[in-house]
Structure formats: C-alpha cells, structure tokens
Amino acid sequence: MTEHAVKPTPRGASVAWIFAGMWCALLILLATQLLDAWQRSVPPVLLFFWFAPLLILVPGILRDRLRSVTWMSFVSLMYFIWAILRIFAEPYSPRAQVELGAVI
C-alpha cells in the first residue's frame, strides 16, 4: 500500500485576514495582560498561571490546527469575563476597552 501525502490547502485571502486578525488580537491581549500585571506587581508564579492557558495553544495555532483555534475561543471566555469585570470597575479606562476589544 502506498501512503498518500496530505497536501496543505492554500488559504484564501479572507481566511488569511482572519488569521492575521486573530494573531493581532492575541498579541494585544497578551500585551494588555502583561501591562496590567506589571502595574499591579503580580508575582511571577501567578503570571505563569495567568498566561499558561493562552501560551499552551500557540504551537497548535502556528501549525494551523483547527482544534487549537477552537480551544483558544473557549479559553478566551475566561479573559472575556475578566475584561467585563474590568470595564465595570474602570469604565473610562482605555486599557480595559482595548482588552475587551482584543478578546472579542
């Protein structure tokens, strides 16, 4: 029996824009979370647990695995709740608004 190699399908322009938007939103979310942790002097152990859910999925997203992208959407719900709480606590904070926009 011969094995058939699976050829990667080329992305369309709209899919490439969606993935680029996802990466931009992920980087913005990481930056806002890191800025918030730095301003609040969060210990490194807590930083690990706060960023681990996002960073665990990055290798799968780099390989274009749909399962990793799906799990990223589930994990981002936790950050969405945190962003909503921050919006209610600091309604005029631009960082909170940017964070909520990145999660959405």
Side-chain angles (χ1 to χ4, degrees):
M1 292 175 81
T2 62
E3 292 187 30
H4 299 283
V6 177
K7 296 179 183 177
T9 59
R11 287 188 191 163
S14 61
V15 175
W17 277 103
I18 290 170
F19 267 83
M22 181 187 66
W23 277 107
C24 289
L26 178 63
L27 292 175
I28 290 170
L29 178 64
L30 287 172
T32 57
Q33 294 296 317
L34 192 60
L35 178 66
D36 182 52
W38 178 70
Q39 286 180 343
R40 296 177 193 262
S41 300
V42 176
V45 173
L46 292 178
L47 276 178
F48 172 76
F49 286 113
W50 189 249
F51 287 113
L54 289 175
L55 297 178
I56 287 173
L57 298 169
V58 169
I61 293 173
L62 284 172
R63 293 185 188 113
D64 289 337
R65 294 197 174 145
L66 184 59
R67 177 178 275 173
S68 296
V69 175
T70 304
W71 274 104
M72 179 65 80
S73 65
F74 293 136
V75 167
S76 68
L77 290 174
M78 177 179 68
Y79 296 94
F80 176 76
I81 292 169
W82 181 258
I84 291 294
L85 290 173
R86 178 154 314 157
I87 286 286
F88 279 108
E90 307 166 9
Y92 299 108
S93 170
R95 187 180 71 226
Q97 294 171 0
V98 168
E99 181 182 350
L100 183 62
V103 171
I104 291 174

